[in-house]
Amino acid sequence: MSMLSTFEDFARACNENERLRQMNRDWSRTIVIETTDSHQLYWLRSQKGVIEAGEGDVPNADMHIEGTEDIIQAVFSGQMSPTEPYNAGDLLVKGHQDDLMRLDIITLLIWGE
């Protein structure tokens, strides 16, 4: 599965979850995700409870996530929580701690523990 497909599936899972859409209706954030091994850029945008995914850079992003393709794919496909690689130093997150916690909650609500 391509990286972009992983992010599109993640966005679709979020958008199909009514509880998440309600929770995120006031969370307007743009997240840029960079793969450190292939140096590809992707983005996720949350606005009014709807999450969109795309490819490329976005100026003035609220959060920047960096990691290898394997780690990022595992996090955004539900194979691992973002907290594990973050604590191990394998996932670099630049942004507010509140946004990282929100992302962790979103993945938990979509895929469980």
Side-chain angles (χ1 to χ4, degrees):
M1 176 181 278
S2 77
M3 290 294 288
L4 183 56
S5 295
T6 299
F7 295 120
E8 289 170 341
D9 288 349
F10 175 81
R12 188 173 18 266
C14 290
N15 294 335
E16 290 173 354
N17 185 314
E18 184 60 35
R19 185 173 168 199
L20 264 180
R21 287 199 2 244
Q22 286 297 317
M23 182 183 92
N24 289 333
R25 70 183 181 277
D26 62 346
W27 192 59
S28 295
R29 296 286 186 279
T30 300
I31 302 167
V32 170
I33 303 114
E34 181 176 354
T35 57
T36 54
D37 41 0
S38 63
H39 300 288
Q40 293 292 110
L41 293 172
Y42 303 91
W43 55 265
L44 292 168
R45 181 176 295 126
S46 174
Q47 199 165 26
K48 297 181 182 171
V50 176
I51 295 183
E52 298 174 301
E55 199 168 3
D57 196 11
V58 176
N60 303 317
D62 301 292
M63 182 185 230
H64 191 98
I65 298 173
E66 294 177 19
T68 63
E69 277 192 27
D70 289 345
I71 297 277
I72 289 174
Q73 189 123 25
V75 166
F76 286 93
S77 66
Q79 297 169 19
M80 76 170 61
S81 157
T83 306
E84 298 165 25
Y86 175 76
N87 288 340
D90 296 327
L91 192 67
L92 179 64
V93 179
K94 298 175 189 168
H96 293 283
Q97 187 70 29
D98 291 351
D99 291 334
L100 176 62
M101 287 179 12
R102 174 84 65 132
L103 195 56
D104 203 18
I105 290 167
I106 289 169
T107 59
L108 228 135
L109 285 172
I110 294 173
W111 297 296
E113 293 192 42

